[in-house]
Amino acid sequence: MNNEWLRVSRYNPCRICHKPDWCGYSETAACCMRVKSDSPARNGGWIHRLSDPIPDYHRPPPRDDVLRPCFYTLWRVWRDKTDPGLLDEYAKALVVSEQVLNDLGAAWAPEHGAWAFPMRDSAGKIDGIRLRADSGRKWAVTGSHQGVFMSLTWPSATDIALICEGPTDTAAAMSIGFMAIGRPSCLGCERHISDIIKLVAVRRVVIVADNDGPGLAGANKLAGQLKVPWKIIVPPTKDLRAWVRMGATKALVECVINQMLWRNI
Ligand SMILES: [Zn+2]
């Protein structure tokens, strides 16, 4: 019997409260965060055996939805006001292509004094905004959901996409000519990535893991949930952007990729 707990999603909503987030499920039980049962779980939710009748759930008024800003509108305003000269300077400072920053939707957010990167949900819609100050400080606009960093322009069939950590590593990968998808940290968004890969018809993925314990653990966790062939590579530097800054080209990165075998074929 498979006792692994999985997260609910839009495609696989909670069997108890019918919502697409927050709750979990295994093969035999649901762990609902909204509907009580007589077995409280350690994470603050409640265990429901799926063989039991499903209890009634009366949805509370959507207070959370009202308080969450429309991230698309917020981003659009910043984006329209972003000075192209400033974006160009930012690209030079990061040693990435300005076109790529543009494709990823980078926008200056004056009220935060930071660069804003849209985070997209499984369908590619903006569902949160990551902020990044020039000091390197990273945070998100209040109410943001975690999502992926990606360009909306994909070739009709993409053989290989790199999966990177953070918007600037994603920009570095794209700057040397790869298609790339970024996640906010080395862990999480596994379902988003799987969905996006299907959405943009990527055939194979190369996960770029930072050269540390959490980086490799996060890469393996993502790999375990992928339905397409994958490889994990570890840059010889702190991260991919540092490697690109030192002169790594697409050919060099491909050389490293070619030294590994495809898994999950
Ligand atoms: Zn639930």
Side-chain angles (χ1 to χ4, degrees), residues 14 16-19 23 31-34:
C14 176
I16 307 301
C17 70
H18 314 291
K19 297 272 278 182
C23 310
C31 178
C32 185
M33 303 302 291
R34 299 181 179 87

Side-chain angles (χ1 to χ4, degrees), residues 93-148:
L94 291 173
V95 197
V96 300
S97 131
E98 188 210 350
Q99 177 62 50
V100 161
L101 281 189
N102 211 46
D103 285 352
L104 287 171
W108 178 251
E111 47 273 67
H112 297 286
W115 286 92
F117 288 89
M119 293 190 282
R120 298 181 180 277
D121 67 12
S122 294
K125 280 171 59 183
I126 298 178
D127 199 24
I129 297 173
R130 162 70 81 90
L131 298 166
R132 192 179 188 280
D134 286 336
S135 65
R137 185 180 162 228
K138 297 163 192 165
W139 71 110
V141 175
T142 305
S144 289
H145 285 171
Q146 298 273 54
V148 300

Side-chain angles (χ1 to χ4, degrees), residues 29-247:
C31 178
C32 185
M33 303 302 291
R34 299 181 179 87
V35 180
K36 292 183 185 175
S37 76
D38 48 21
S39 23
R42 254 180 298 175
N43 67 351
W46 292 272
I47 305 290
H48 299 258
R49 282 207 318 247
L50 291 177
S51 53
D52 290 344
I54 293 172
D56 279 342
Y57 174 56
H58 300 289
R59 218 180 143 185
R63 193 178 57 101
D64 184 45
D65 295 351
V66 175
L67 289 177
R68 291 186 77 223
C70 170
F71 290 104
Y72 174 80
T73 308
L74 198 58
W75 166 77
R76 190 75 249 178
V77 169
W78 290 337
R79 170 82 163 181
D80 289 344
K81 290 186 179 159
T82 298
D83 172 5
L86 200 64
L87 186 70
D88 191 39
E89 268 174 43
Y90 187 46
K92 286 202 174 84
L94 291 173
V95 197
V96 300
S97 131
E98 188 210 350
Q99 177 62 50
V100 161
L101 281 189
N102 211 46
D103 285 352
L104 287 171
W108 178 251
E111 47 273 67
H112 297 286
W115 286 92
F117 288 89
M119 293 190 282
R120 298 181 180 277
D121 67 12
S122 294
K125 280 171 59 183
I126 298 178
D127 199 24
I129 297 173
R130 162 70 81 90
L131 298 166
R132 192 179 188 280
D134 286 336
S135 65
R137 185 180 162 228
K138 297 163 192 165
W139 71 110
V141 175
T142 305
S144 289
H145 285 171
Q146 298 273 54
V148 300
F149 308 104
M150 63 182 287
S151 160
L152 289 187
T153 323
W154 286 72
S156 56
T158 304
D159 183 26
I160 292 175
L162 265 52
I163 311 291
C164 307
E165 185 186 325
T168 58
D169 261 26
T170 309
M174 290 167 67
S175 295
I176 56 171
F178 285 102
M179 291 310 293
I181 302 168
R183 47 181 182 162
S185 71
C186 62
L187 201 62
C189 286
E190 288 87 6
R191 181 61 72 97
H192 281 55
I193 302 261
S194 297
D195 290 342
I196 292 287
I197 284 169
K198 206 185 282 175
L199 189 74
V200 295
V202 169
R203 285 182 50 222
R204 302 183 285 182
V205 305
V206 174
I207 304 168
V208 183
D210 285 355
N211 197 0
D212 55 30
L216 284 169
N220 278 302
K221 180 160 188 236
L222 172 61
Q225 299 189 24
L226 292 175
K227 303 266 189 302
V228 295
W230 54 265
K231 291 180 181 186
I232 296 173
I233 62 162
V234 178
T237 44
K238 179 170 98 37
D239 54 28
L240 181 66
R241 190 162 66 86
W243 197 16
V244 169
R245 202 168 45 217
M246 281 176 66

